[in-house]
Amino acid sequence: MVRKVLMICLGNICRSPIAQVVMVDTLEKANVKDVEVDSAAIGGWHVGNRADPRAISTLQKHGLKCTHIVRQIRKQDFSEFDYIFGMDEDNMSELRRLAPKDSKAELLMLGDFGLEKKNRIIEDPYYERGAEGFETAYQQCVVACAAFMKERLQK
């Protein structure tokens, strides 16, 4: 049985593509098969574009490649995916609002896995200068993706 994971952030150019690439890498390193991972945006501002260059370079710094093209979340995602992750409380609120009544997807905050409560929000680094916030988001995703995998996907 294939399980499907969808990472969500506001524009799908910073946090969610990082989380997608990190989750794929985490699963590959643990030899966990039959899991598909994608990412999408709450809003449609960047649809068709690539991730923010700072997100791409942060991933490259860790030997990872991001080829994702931005897309916006669709109604059918709530029935096609098993797990849909938001990066912060605003994402989660919007996901709950968008979810149809018959949604099969479990809506989760990525930072609730493996991160301390005070650090569970994966902050949006888009408006920051430089790449420091992208590195912070990357490190949070590494911890959270590994914890989620161990808790939910390796059973």
Side-chain angles (χ1 to χ4, degrees):
M1 175 185 86
V2 174
R3 292 162 292 177
K4 295 179 79 173
V5 174
L6 182 62
M7 302 296 187
I8 298 290
C9 70
L10 189 59
N12 193 214
I13 60 170
C14 299
R15 299 169 291 170
S16 57
I18 289 173
Q20 175 187 0
V21 170
V22 168
M23 181 65 84
V24 168
D25 183 60
T26 301
L27 295 168
E28 286 176 357
K29 287 177 178 170
N31 201 31
V32 174
K33 307 269 189 224
D34 296 330
V35 179
E36 294 177 11
V37 185
D38 195 5
S39 65
I42 295 287
W45 313 280
H46 303 289
V47 169
N49 296 330
R50 300 220 28 231
D52 186 292
R54 296 169 294 175
I56 293 169
S57 66
T58 298
L59 290 165
Q60 286 174 337
K61 185 175 101 177
H62 295 281
L64 301 172
K65 186 176 183 179
C66 179
T67 59
H68 180 72
I69 302 298
V70 175
R71 75 173 184 87
Q72 190 170 8
I73 193 166
R74 307 171 305 242
K75 185 176 179 178
Q76 64 262 34
D77 289 331
F78 290 95
S79 60
E80 292 176 6
F81 285 86
D82 300 291
Y83 306 101
I84 298 179
F85 286 100
M87 302 294 140
D88 60 34
E89 295 289 359
D90 290 337
N91 295 162
M92 295 306 301
S93 177
E94 192 64 13
L95 287 170
R96 286 188 287 271
R97 187 185 73 74
L98 292 170
K101 296 254 186 273
D102 61 347
S103 172
K104 88 164 189 175
E106 188 174 355
L107 304 180
L108 302 164
M109 185 153 20
L110 184 59
D112 283 338
F113 293 86
L115 297 174
E116 294 178 28
K117 190 170 182 99
K118 66 180 180 175
N119 293 324
R120 70 192 262 276
I121 302 299
I122 300 174
E123 300 289 348
D124 190 348
Y126 181 74
Y127 294 104
E128 294 178 19
R129 274 204 146 111
E132 186 177 316
F134 289 84
E135 180 63 27
T136 299
Y138 169 82
Q139 294 298 336
Q140 289 175 295
C141 288
V142 167
V143 171
C145 288
F148 172 76
M149 178 192 69
K150 288 176 185 163
E151 185 176 321
R152 298 288 186 96
L153 300 177
Q154 283 189 318
K155 290 185 174 184

